[in-house]
DNA sequence: TGATACTTGACTATTTTAGTCGGGTATATA
DNA sequence: TATATACCCGACTAAAATAGTCAAGTATCA
């Protein structure tokens, strides 16, 4: 079980963005330099964030990205969802003969993965971008 | 973020084992048939479980595996640890220039992943094999 | 009109996953 | 003692996912 870089980068980039977008849009180039993330990869990630209306883009010189909502309203769930960083546990395919079919001893652990998924998603639903920024400022003092 | 089959299989197999090992050892062949998991793959998994002293092996005809501890004492943490199903979030390599080096805006999200890791591990540390079996019996009624 | 910066889609090397395969060794039972 | 059962061990591999790269755009500001 692991968190992939895509999700990590998305969160890092958005925290970075949230701290600098007071007046002007923030370019991916700047984020790329500050966070050490490949520009091309960032473009892929922000394309997804834009489609899910987490950020807005401003084209042209002095362009960049701006948050599309208040940092308080952007939850980790939304970010991970946007970049396809899902919490996958069991996939109970109805077509498959093996695995979960609701019969006999199979899928003994079905409920476990459900619980786990809820447990993790619960964490993600509570945390907002604002929380992350505040947390960071506090520890910085 | 996903849970891989290895961890899933390990838990499924152990729940199966725990329910059948009252008197005799349980063979991987039986578990394989009941749970629909490849025998060869199960052998790999049980080799690891044995090395971490979660199960004991009995060789020869009528052989198989037996739990090495009480189901109550085997936590999910132990199982996942045995089969290398780790909860990985950030790796802050000291060697790398990029990523987490404790400076400036980098690793803004460091604490987040720590928290997440604790949150998940907390779940795994509480759940025992016994819990899973009980849970299953209850829902079966 | 040129530089900046977003936009899009295709391509690719690397790593991880989920096995398979081929050889063993130990032991109960006939 | 022969044999079948079942654990034991290491090497190999196909397929999928990951983490990018690359190329060719379009919009906008100065």
């Amino acid at each position: 079980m692991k968190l992939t870089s895509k999700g990590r980068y998305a969160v890092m980039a958005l925290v970075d963005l949230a701290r600098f977008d007071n007046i002007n849009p923030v370019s991916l180039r700047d984020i790329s330099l500050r966070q050490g993330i490949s520009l091309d990869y960032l473009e892929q990630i922000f394309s997804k964030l834009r489609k899910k209306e987490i950020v807005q883009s401003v084209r042209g010189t002095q362009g960049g990205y701006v948050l599309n909502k208040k940092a308080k309203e952007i939850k980790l769930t939304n970010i991970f969802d946007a970049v396809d960083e899902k919490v996958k546990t069991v996939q109970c395919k109805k077509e498959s003969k093996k695995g979960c079919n609701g019969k006999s001893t199979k899928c003994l652990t079905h409920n476990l993965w459900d619980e786990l998924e809820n447990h993790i998603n619960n964490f993600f639903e509570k945390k907002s971008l604002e929380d992350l920024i505040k947390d960071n400022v506090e520890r910085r003092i």
Side-chain angles (χ1 to χ4, degrees), chain A:
Chain A
M1 173 175 261
K2 64 167 190 245
L3 197 70
T4 65
S5 289
K6 192 151 57 180
R8 227 161 24 92
Y9 289 167
V11 178
M12 284 170 74
L14 283 174
V15 171
D16 184 299
L17 175 60
R19 298 172 80 227
F20 284 89
D21 81 336
N22 305 315
I23 311 153
N24 302 313
V26 180
S27 73
L28 294 190
R29 194 173 161 279
D30 287 351
I31 297 178
S32 165
L33 290 173
R34 279 197 293 262
Q35 302 301 330
I37 303 167
S38 143
L39 177 59
D40 284 313
Y41 204 25
L42 271 180
E43 287 182 342
Q44 275 185 43
I45 292 169
F46 272 75
S47 167
K48 290 173 186 235
L49 293 174
R50 187 173 53 83
K51 279 171 190 155
K52 293 285 183 171
E53 299 180 339
I54 291 169
V55 295
Q56 263 192 332
S57 66
V58 180
R59 299 181 76 154
T61 319
Q62 306 298 323
Y65 286 92
V66 193
L67 290 186
N68 199 26
K69 300 171 187 176
K70 291 187 176 170
K72 198 176 183 175
E73 284 152 21
I74 300 173
K75 308 291 184 186
L76 284 192
T77 287
N78 308 133
I79 300 172
F80 284 139
D81 180 55
V83 299
D84 304 312
E85 180 81 277
K86 290 168 194 155
V87 176
K88 291 180 238 167
T89 50
V90 213
Q91 313 95 314
C92 294
K93 293 177 186 168
K94 284 177 184 174
E95 313 92 47
S96 107
K97 293 167 193 168
K98 312 253 170 160
C100 184
N101 58 9
K103 284 201 294 181
S104 74
T105 58
K106 287 181 184 168
C107 229
L108 287 173
T109 54
H110 185 102
N111 298 321
L112 172 67
W113 313 124
D114 267 0
E115 266 186 76
L116 174 60
E117 222 172 278
N118 290 337
H119 185 71
I120 297 174
N121 284 326
N122 194 40
F123 180 85
F124 288 151
E125 271 159 30
K126 280 182 184 160
K127 282 272 175 198
S128 73
L129 213 49
E130 194 186 55
D131 294 333
L132 297 183
I133 296 163
K134 274 188 183 169
D135 186 54
N136 205 265
V137 171
E138 277 165 26
R139 302 203 192 208
R140 190 164 287 251
I141 296 165

